[in-house]
């Protein structure tokens, strides 16, 4: 599904990712862990198509398509979704309106019929219930005045409406208390259906108590320096990242 | 050199004897004095600080018919359906090239205490009744309007009368045989503790090349509440000059809005004097300029006495090679203590060739005051733009959504529902953000 091969990315002249390879198959959950500044968020943004990164080498394909040549909205159309570490507040844009424009944008990209307001609101109603988001938030401007937990829950809600094939969660646990963490974890788990894949980018192991990964990768110095199963995450929790940092500087 | 001034002098000489009120010495003297003032001040040029961003040569050096020749105006055959601006109220006065048109107007259902009189009729009345409204001005275009005005509307609201339905004045530039310079006039006189809402709208019929010189005076007496919405949306070849003067007495409150969608050159001055304790003015505005357009707002708030408040929120959006100007002046006079003045000017540039100049000007001669001002010129928020696109919204739609959102709060604060809906539609059309309100409309 997602095939990242020897990806090299710089910001300005500074290399951030120095040859990263990763394969994600349908239904798999991959956790990308690593110390601050290791390039985790860069990876998430490059997959989603954010400006400001120089791709200096390597490739990213998604279901065989060259993802790097597509605009962000086309990537969404292909089924890629990025849950932001810092969901953006957009004054004046109604949450539900944005979602309708998004869903119809994706449907249009796929050559499907756009939904009218009634059809769309039916979906929203069902998903609101499933994700357990306060429907008072739906008609507010996007993320405006939302608490940290509400913002992250809104990301999960958007994900549930847009039904991506691949969801990338960028530090979704940051700034969440334990209840919010559990709620977000539950929301994500509901979306695990055996074919949808997840890349969970996180600094701490605690989110992985709720979203149990199939694979854990450690990103350090712009490369994946170690891969393993969920046991690796627990080991990191115990030992920290320093022992791997040393390893990264050697290779 | 000043081609238009010469023509105007000639036309004024020729027609002064037949203008409304010409038989009344006070009115005739008033016009002559106003014209003398206009000639003395002269048409503005770029050399004047107040006009340094707005070059009105295309107006100053062109031929316009300002007086007479109304018989040949083809537009007298216009029906309501031909009007270039919607009728937003059941109380409406329509002016074609400055002249009241009774067929297109309806003012028969106004309640007791609310009267609308045409300026043409009013100027023929007894001198003592007219005298309080003969105010002279010391800038060129208002002085010119005073000299040349042929018609317009005077709205008077009696003490204690609260009228909740809006009254609309619609000024239309038509397609006339020669380009006209139309004098549009509106006077709102709200007596003590009265309440009134006025929509002042300026628009032009397709193909019109006329220009407008509009003058609005708002007088809110003790405890009165006036809401004034000014909208201007002209053809690409129509110039528009507008002046609004507001006087707010103690405990009175005036909201004056300016929505400008431009023509060719548009210049709008909004002036408010807070003259009694407890007086408040809200001055809000939104302008949108695109290719070939220029819109300049100059606002001035004068806190003349203490314990007065003003709040100002202007937004501008420039696309293509459009050019916008906002100059907001707050003057706090000596001993005008404990006043509060807020001013915000936020501007959005949508293209590399667009330009907006914004300048706050504060002159404060009192020491116990609260003044806050902020001015920004920026582009669309990159983070928000990427956020929307990452959700599957294409570039153009994302741009439109964010542009609409930038402008939406000003439109949303309009309390007259049909006007608010019209504004939102226009803003949408101009940002190409179709269907943005669909979700909100479900009730």
């Amino acid at each position: 599904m997602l095939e990242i091969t020897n990806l090299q990315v710089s910001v300005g002249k500074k290399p951030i990712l120095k040859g990263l390879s990763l394969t994600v198959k349908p239904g798999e959950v991959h956790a990308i862990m690593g110390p601050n500044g290791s390039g985790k968020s860069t990876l998430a943004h490059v997959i989603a198509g954010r400006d400001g990164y120089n791709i200096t080498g390597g490739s990213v394909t998604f279901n065989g398509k060259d993802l790097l040549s597509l605009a962000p909205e086309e990537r969404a159309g292909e089924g890629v979704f990025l849950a932001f570490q810092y969901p953006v507040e957009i004054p004046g844009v109604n949450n539900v309106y944005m979602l309708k424009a998004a869903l119809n944008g994706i449907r249009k990209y796929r050559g499907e019929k756009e939904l009218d307001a009634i059809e769309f609101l039916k979906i929203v109603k069902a998903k609101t219930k499933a994700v357990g988001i306060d429907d008072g938030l739906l008609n507010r401007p996007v993320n405006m005045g939302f608490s940290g937990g509400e913002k992250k829950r809104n990301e999960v809600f958007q994900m549930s409406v847009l039904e991506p094939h691949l969801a990338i969660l960028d530090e979704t646990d940051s700034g969440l208390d334990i209840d919010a963490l559990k709620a977000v974890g539950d929301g994500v788990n509901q979306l695990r259906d055996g074919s949808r894949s997840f890349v969970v980018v996180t600094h701490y192991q605690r989110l992985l108590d709720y979203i149990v990964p199939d694979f854990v990768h450690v990103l350090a110095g712009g490369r994946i320096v170690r891969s393993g199963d969920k046991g690796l995450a627990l080991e990191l929790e115990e030992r920290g990242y320093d022992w791997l940092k040393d390893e990264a500087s050697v290779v | 050199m000043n081609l238009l001034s010469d023509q105007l002098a000639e036309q004024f000489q020729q027609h002064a004897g037949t203008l409304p009120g010409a038989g009344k010495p006070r009115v005739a003297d008033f016009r002559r004095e106003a014209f003398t003032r206009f000639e003395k001040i002269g048409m503005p040029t770029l050399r004047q600080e107040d006009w340094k961003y707005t070059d009105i040569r295309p107006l100053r050096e062109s031929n316009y018919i300002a007086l007479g020749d109304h018989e040949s105006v083809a537009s007298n055959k216009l029906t309501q359906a031909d009007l270039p601006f919607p009728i937003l109220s059941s109380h409406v006065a329509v002016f074609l090239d400055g002249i009241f048109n009774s067929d297109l107007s309806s003012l028969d259902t106004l309640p007791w205490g609310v009267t609308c009189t045409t300026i043409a009729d009013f100027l023929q009345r007894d001198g003592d009744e007219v005298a309080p409204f003969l105010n002279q001005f010391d800038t060129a275009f208002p002085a010119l309007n005073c000299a040349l005005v042929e018609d317009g509307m005077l709205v008077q609201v009696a003490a204690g009368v609260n009228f909740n339905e809006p009254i609309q004045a619609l000024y239309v530039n038509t397609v006339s045989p020669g380009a006209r310079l139309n004098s549009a006039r509106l006077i709102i006189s709200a007596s003590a503790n009265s309440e009134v809402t006025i929509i002042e709208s300026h628009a032009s019929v397709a193909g019109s090349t006329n220009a407008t010189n509009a003058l609005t005076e708002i007088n809110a007496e003790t405890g009165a509440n006036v809401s004034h919405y000014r909208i201007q949306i002209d053809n690409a070849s129509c110039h528009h000059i507008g002046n609004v003067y507001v006087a707010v007495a103690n405990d009175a409150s005036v909201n004056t809005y300016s929505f400008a969608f431009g023509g060719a050159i548009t210049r709008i001055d909004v002036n408010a004097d807070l003259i009694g304790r407890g007086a408040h003015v809200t001055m809000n505005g939104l302008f949108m300029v695109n290719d070939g357009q220029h819109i300049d707002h100059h606002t001035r708030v004068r806190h003349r006495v203490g314990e007065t408040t003003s709040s100002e929120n202007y937004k501008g959006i420039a696309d293509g090679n459009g050019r916008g100007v906002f100059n907001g002046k707050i003057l706090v006079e000596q001993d005008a203590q404990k006043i509060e003045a807020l001013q915000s000017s936020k501007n959005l540039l949508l293209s590399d060739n667009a330009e907006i100049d914004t300048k706050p000007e504060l002159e404060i001669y009192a020491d116990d005051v609260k003044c806050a001002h902020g001015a920004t010129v920026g582009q669309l928020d990159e983070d928000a733009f990427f956020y929307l696109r990452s959700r599957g919204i294409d570039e153009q739609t994302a741009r439109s959504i964010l542009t609409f959102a930038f402008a939406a709060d000003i439109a949303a604060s309009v309390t007259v529902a049909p006007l608010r809906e019209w504004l939102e539609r226009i803003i949408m059309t101009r940002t190409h953000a179709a269907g943005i309100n669909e979700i909100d409309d479900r009730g």
Side-chain angles (χ1 to χ4, degrees):
Chain A
M1 175 180 253
L2 179 71
E3 190 75 53
I4 303 175
T5 312
N6 192 28
L7 182 64
Q8 293 153 54
V9 176
S10 344
V11 173
K13 280 191 175 141
K14 191 173 179 238
I16 305 289
L17 298 181
K18 302 169 187 168
L20 183 146
S21 297
L22 177 70
T23 302
V24 178
K25 298 205 174 82
E28 291 179 349
V29 176
H30 290 246
I32 310 273
M33 301 184 70
N36 291 327
S38 59
K40 300 191 301 289
S41 281
T42 298
L43 175 64
H45 285 146
V46 165
I47 297 172
R50 195 185 186 107
D51 279 349
Y53 298 98
N54 296 323
I55 316 289
T56 53
S59 66
V60 180
T61 62
F62 187 67
N63 292 329
K65 278 196 184 155
D66 174 14
L67 209 54
L68 299 178
S69 67
L70 300 179
E73 60 269 26
E74 294 171 326
R75 300 181 197 202
E78 292 293 336
V80 176
F81 179 94
L82 172 65
F84 282 54
Q85 181 179 4
Y86 303 109
V88 184
E89 297 189 356
I90 313 181
V93 179
N94 177 294
N95 217 359
V96 176
Y97 169 71
M98 183 201 75
L99 253 188
K100 177 166 174 268
L103 185 58
N104 277 335
I106 289 170
R107 292 181 68 92
K108 201 170 155 189
Y109 179 81
R110 294 176 183 166
E112 295 165 6
K113 188 183 142 298
E114 292 181 42
L115 300 179
D116 63 29
I118 296 165
E119 294 167 317
F120 174 72
L121 287 168
K122 214 178 274 173
I123 294 175
V124 164
K125 216 168 206 172
K127 303 290 183 179
T128 308
K129 231 176 174 178
V131 177
I133 190 169
D134 174 5
D135 56 7
L137 299 177
L138 298 179
N139 282 307
R140 294 242 298 267
V142 178
N143 293 320
M144 287 297 290
F146 288 25
S147 70
E150 286 170 339
K151 281 182 185 170
K152 297 296 169 75
R153 216 179 284 199
N154 192 28
E155 295 290 285
V156 175
F157 171 65
Q158 291 177 20
M159 195 194 300
S160 74
V161 172
L162 300 179
E163 300 187 319
H165 304 313
L166 170 70
I168 302 152
L169 279 59
D170 184 12
E171 309 261 4
T172 294
D173 50 335
S174 70
L176 293 190
D177 61 28
I178 208 76
D179 290 337
L181 198 64
K182 186 173 179 312
V184 165
D186 287 349
V188 170
N189 286 331
Q190 281 183 33
L191 296 170
R192 290 178 72 165
D193 61 358
S195 64
R196 181 171 295 128
S197 308
F198 292 84
V199 173
V200 181
V201 173
T202 181
H203 185 80
Y204 300 105
Q205 190 270 338
R206 56 179 198 160
L207 179 64
L208 304 179
D209 287 342
Y210 300 99
I211 307 170
V212 180
D214 301 308
F215 302 94
V216 174
H217 310 276
V218 180
L219 186 58
R223 283 190 197 91
I224 288 175
V225 295
R226 180 146 318 188
S227 295
D229 62 11
K230 61 184 177 182
L232 177 58
L234 294 167
E235 193 179 350
L236 288 168
E237 182 78 354
E238 227 163 81
R239 296 179 64 185
Y241 287 107
D242 285 350
W243 58 288
L244 287 168
K245 263 189 199 162
D246 299 339
E247 217 163 284
S249 58
V250 175
V251 286
Chain B
M1 265 298 272
N2 261 353
L3 203 56
L4 181 58
S5 308
D6 296 344
Q7 296 167 46
L8 292 173
E10 210 171 284
Q11 291 177 33
F12 183 66
Q13 287 306 332
Q14 192 187 336
H15 293 279
T18 56
L19 289 172
K24 308 274 179 187
R26 254 198 263 204
V27 174
D29 288 350
F30 171 75
R31 286 188 189 277
R32 264 195 303 277
E33 193 198 328
F35 199 83
T36 306
R37 281 177 182 234
F38 165 72
E39 288 193 303
K40 209 171 145 197
I41 302 161
M43 286 270 193
T45 69
L46 291 175
R47 282 195 294 269
Q48 283 153 268
E49 179 64 22
D50 263 3
W51 288 84
K52 71 174 181 185
Y53 292 118
T54 299
D55 186 356
I56 59 160
R57 257 178 303 181
L59 180 67
R60 210 169 59 213
E61 297 176 1
S62 298
N63 297 315
Y64 283 101
I65 302 160
L67 291 173
D69 206 23
H70 283 287
E71 298 72 21
S72 61
V73 173
S75 56
N76 289 329
K77 294 181 217 95
L78 283 183
T79 67
Q80 249 183 19
D82 302 323
L83 293 174
F85 194 91
I87 301 294
L88 299 169
S89 169
S90 48
H91 314 287
V92 61
V94 177
F95 300 86
L96 301 179
D97 290 328
I99 306 298
F100 180 69
N101 183 299
S102 57
D103 293 343
L104 296 172
S105 304
S106 60
L107 295 167
D108 320 327
T109 56
L110 291 168
W112 181 89
V114 181
T115 47
C116 290
T117 314
T118 66
I119 298 291
D121 286 348
F122 186 70
L123 291 175
Q124 322 267 15
R125 289 193 186 165
D126 185 81
D128 287 340
E129 196 184 336
V130 174
F133 295 95
L134 299 180
N135 300 316
Q136 293 289 358
F137 293 87
D138 50 15
T139 50
F141 287 103
L144 184 65
N145 183 292
C146 288
L148 305 184
V149 65
E150 289 177 277
D151 213 340
M153 182 164 76
L154 166 65
V155 182
Q156 288 168 294
V157 189
V161 171
N162 295 326
F163 187 42
N164 298 320
E165 299 164 34
I167 301 170
Q168 184 181 7
L170 171 54
Y171 301 88
V172 178
N173 287 322
T174 73
V175 180
S176 44
R180 299 190 64 88
L181 172 63
N182 297 318
S183 302
R185 188 60 173 273
L186 175 64
I187 305 174
I188 303 163
S189 177
S191 303
N193 303 313
S194 66
E195 193 172 333
V196 68
T197 300
I198 308 287
I199 301 168
E200 174 187 349
S201 41
H202 298 269
S204 45
V205 169
S208 175
T209 56
N210 293 350
T212 300
N213 175 24
L215 175 59
T216 304
E217 290 169 87
I218 301 170
N219 192 25
E221 291 177 16
T222 305
N225 258 309
V226 178
S227 290
H228 168 244
Y229 299 103
R230 187 186 204 285
I231 305 100
Q232 180 251 347
I233 180 162
D234 274 312
N235 287 343
S237 44
C238 293
H239 304 304
H240 180 97
I241 307 284
N243 277 274
V244 179
Y245 287 85
V246 181
V248 193
N250 51 307
D251 298 324
S253 175
V254 173
N255 298 325
T256 177
Y257 282 64
S258 175
F259 292 95
F261 301 96
I265 300 165
T266 300
R267 164 68 183 241
I268 297 166
D269 288 50
V270 184
N271 307 278
D273 277 39
L274 301 168
I275 55 177
R277 280 180 195 280
H280 172 81
V281 68
T282 295
M283 261 188 196
N284 289 347
L286 170 71
F287 66 84
M288 294 178 83
V289 270
N290 210 325
D291 279 330
Q293 294 188 307
H294 180 108
I295 300 179
D296 177 348
H297 274 96
H298 268 60
T299 68
R300 288 173 207 83
V301 178
R302 282 207 291 178
H303 290 264
R304 293 179 50 183
V305 299
E307 292 168 42
T308 50
T309 54
S310 65
S311 153
E312 188 172 7
N313 184 10
Y314 264 76
K315 287 193 174 178
I317 299 171
D319 203 349
N321 66 11
R323 174 95 190 264
V325 179
F326 173 81
N327 190 107
K329 184 166 182 169
I330 297 171
L331 178 77
V332 182
E333 291 192 355
Q334 210 169 351
D335 303 327
Q337 307 293 3
K338 299 199 187 316
I339 66 97
E340 204 176 301
L342 305 172
Q343 183 191 86
S344 161
S345 159
K346 290 192 178 134
N347 300 283
L348 181 61
L349 297 176
L350 294 176
S351 98
D352 292 341
N353 296 323
E355 184 179 336
I356 296 180
D357 297 284
T358 175
K359 187 172 133 205
E361 265 188 278
L362 273 70
E363 264 183 57
I364 302 170
Y365 300 102
D367 49 24
D368 184 11
V369 302
K370 244 189 238 174
C371 284
H373 65 93
T376 58
V377 180
Q379 282 151 346
L380 288 179
D381 178 356
E382 281 298 321
D383 290 336
F385 194 50
F386 174 64
Y387 190 72
L388 293 181
R389 292 181 70 191
S390 78
R391 294 295 177 258
I393 298 170
D394 69 77
E395 196 174 350
Q396 180 54 48
T397 308
R399 201 173 121 103
S400 303
I401 288 174
L402 293 176
T403 307
F404 180 85
F406 173 81
D409 66 327
I410 305 265
S413 65
V414 171
T415 53
V416 179
L419 174 60
R420 182 176 61 242
E421 285 155 18
W422 180 85
L423 284 166
E424 287 178 344
R425 262 200 306 281
I426 286 292
I427 297 166
M428 262 180 245
T429 313
R430 303 245 162 160
T431 57
H432 317 291
I436 198 155
N437 234 7
E438 227 171 280
I439 294 296
D440 297 332
D441 279 347
R442 75 193 191 278

